[in-house]
Amino acid sequence: MPISISTGRKMQMFLLDLLYPNRCPCCNCSISWREYLCEACRQEVTAEPADAFCPLCGKLLRDCFCGTGLSYDRAAILTEYTGAARAGVLSMKSAASLHFGRFCGNVLGQRIAEDAVLSGYDLVVPVPMQPRKQRKRCCNPAAVFAREIAAVTRIPYRQDILHDNGTGKTQHTLSAAERHKNVEQFSAAPVSLEGMRVLLCDDVLTTGSTMNRCAALLKAQGAAEVAAISMTTTAMESPSKEPTRLISDTDNGPPERKPT
């Protein structure tokens, strides 16, 4: 599936490449100024077919947890959180590059535009990030991803509906059980979403706790349906394992490059 990049974005990428030569955010190899990922990483990230993931909960079919009482109604995922995809997510969390989020948003955006149900949704909304964390990382990865989906599908984008009040602990440091109790930090603005169908976007779907909380908030404001849209999903961990670690001081990703 060819990637669609606007003329304005191409000009921005060309000019930035003069100062910061473009590199793949997943493997750090040199790539053309007009590319988001190298060919090898692009093939790896898009290797899994859409039907490898449960269309309701968004997990790999072997990890399906549809019977756990989900607040969202359906899901669309691009790839598993491993290998090139993991490196791509970390490149965004370390503020090295925004390319991975834009690539995923472009590919999933085209799939959504071709989907008879999802293409009829009314809003694209990102999972929010604490303002302090967003200033540190220079971006909210979920918002970068969501904006790209909105641009491709032409579905209106809203980032003023959900808020992260910064009262909870960071999700990736917690066990699955602890994550379920740590999502009270999210809240919704007092706006009416009566009858609307919302594409809720995030970078990683782990236990579904964040998506569930945000979907419940959207429905409390009147949303009729919520679809969980994520760049990646993790393999389910057993209760005896350590929590999935998404980023730490030792996970630096590719060398720092000004986000574009």
Side-chain angles (χ1 to χ4, degrees):
M1 182 180 294
I3 298 298
S4 174
I5 304 177
S6 69
T7 301
R9 177 74 57 74
K10 286 180 179 178
M11 182 173 293
Q12 182 188 46
M13 292 169 68
F14 173 77
L15 293 174
L16 189 66
D17 186 68
L18 298 176
L19 298 174
Y20 303 95
N22 199 19
R23 290 184 174 276
C24 175
C26 302
C27 69
N28 201 38
C29 74
S30 296
I31 56 176
S32 166
W33 64 266
R34 67 179 71 224
E35 301 293 339
Y36 285 145
L37 276 67
C38 72
E39 179 62 26
C41 290
R42 188 162 55 240
Q43 292 294 330
E44 180 181 335
V45 169
T46 58
E48 291 171 299
D51 59 9
F53 306 95
C54 175
L56 299 181
C57 71
K59 301 302 289 185
L60 288 159
L61 293 179
R62 66 174 184 267
D63 296 330
C64 177
F65 57 24
C66 283
T68 59
L70 300 176
S71 296
Y72 54 90
D73 303 282
R74 52 182 51 85
I77 310 294
L78 181 59
T79 190
E80 185 179 357
Y81 181 76
T82 187
R86 179 179 184 276
V89 170
L90 292 180
S91 74
M92 300 185 73
K93 292 181 180 291
S94 63
S97 173
L98 306 184
H99 282 358
F100 186 72
R102 287 172 174 165
F103 174 83
C104 293
N106 206 292
V107 174
L108 268 180
Q110 291 182 57
R111 291 183 184 177
I112 290 169
E114 296 170 358
D115 185 279
V117 176
L118 295 178
S119 61
Y121 272 50
D122 304 292
L123 291 177
V124 178
V125 175
V127 168
M129 175 180 279
Q130 296 176 23
R132 175 182 57 81
K133 289 173 64 177
Q134 186 163 335
R135 287 193 296 271
K136 180 179 179 181
R137 295 180 179 178
C138 303
C139 75
N140 174 2
V144 173
F145 173 56
R147 278 195 296 267
E148 195 72 20
I149 286 177
V152 172
T153 61
R154 299 183 182 275
I155 297 173
Y157 170 80
R158 292 281 299 272
Q159 67 174 17
D160 59 331
I161 297 175
L162 294 175
H163 302 284
D164 185 338
N165 303 312
T167 56
K169 297 179 181 179
T170 304
Q171 288 286 76
H172 70 259
T173 64
L174 306 176
S175 68
E178 290 170 330
R179 286 179 183 137
H180 285 290
K181 300 177 182 179
N182 190 55
V183 292
E184 295 303 315
Q185 66 200 63
F186 298 110
S187 63
V191 297
S192 175
L193 300 176
E194 193 66 35
M196 290 189 173
R197 295 181 293 173
V198 182
L199 300 175
L200 177 63
C201 302
D202 205 0
D203 54 352
V204 184
L205 176 67
T206 306
T207 64
S209 300
T210 298
M211 284 289 197
N212 266 331
R213 170 62 174 170
C214 290
L217 288 169
L218 293 171
K219 288 188 173 182
Q221 300 304 115
E225 292 183 11
V226 177
I229 313 296
S230 181
M231 292 187 267
T232 66
T233 186
T234 61
M236 291 295 286
E237 57 198 28
S238 68
S240 61
K241 289 185 179 180
E242 292 295 318
T244 300
R245 187 167 57 91
L246 298 186
I247 189 169
S248 73
D249 294 337
T250 59
D251 283 322
N252 296 319
E256 185 171 350
R257 182 175 184 270
K258 185 178 179 181
T260 60

